[in-house]
Amino acid sequence: MDPAECLYFLTSRPWADCSACEGSGWAGEDADPAMLFCEYCEGSGLNEHTVRSVALIEVSEGAKQRLAHHVARLTACVSQSTAPVVVAA
């Protein structure tokens, strides 16, 4: 997946703690033993919300920090990547 698309996805909507794993990112005790990470957030500990489904005051500091970490990592990836050069024949 394109880092720029991921960055847009993360910054264009509100994110909060995953409601299934409560932000831990780990699969629950009752999950399939082969699953290590939460099946809903895939281990990120974050769930996407709509502007109306979560108030920013409800977003925990941990969720804000995790989101900031993902955004910083992707920002670095985008700044290091170069656009592909296409030459018309």
Side-chain angles (χ1 to χ4, degrees), residues 26-50:
W26 297 104
E29 294 287 325
D30 57 346
D32 180 339
M35 289 183 60
L36 294 175
F37 301 108
C38 175
E39 66 181 308
Y40 298 101
C41 68
E42 297 176 345
S44 72
L46 298 168
N47 278 142
E48 165 192 6
H49 292 269
T50 65

Side-chain angles (χ1 to χ4, degrees), residues 2 6 10 18-20 22 25 29 34 38 40 45 47-49 54-56 60 65 68-69 79 82 88:
D2 179 22
C6 292
L10 285 174
C18 175
S19 55
E22 298 178 348
E29 294 287 325
C38 175
Y40 298 101
N47 278 142
E48 165 192 6
H49 292 269
V54 65
L56 292 180
S60 73
Q65 290 173 2
H69 174 75
S79 66
T82 57

Side-chain angles (χ1 to χ4, degrees), residues 2-4 6-8 10 69-79:
D2 179 22
C6 292
L7 187 59
Y8 172 75
L10 285 174
H69 174 75
H70 289 303
V71 168
R73 183 174 53 80
L74 287 169
T75 300
C77 288
V78 169
S79 66

Side-chain angles (χ1 to χ4, degrees), residues 2-24:
D2 179 22
E5 287 180 33
C6 292
L7 187 59
Y8 172 75
F9 186 72
L10 285 174
T11 57
S12 64
R13 50 192 46 88
W15 293 81
D17 288 313
C18 175
S19 55
C21 68
E22 298 178 348
S24 74

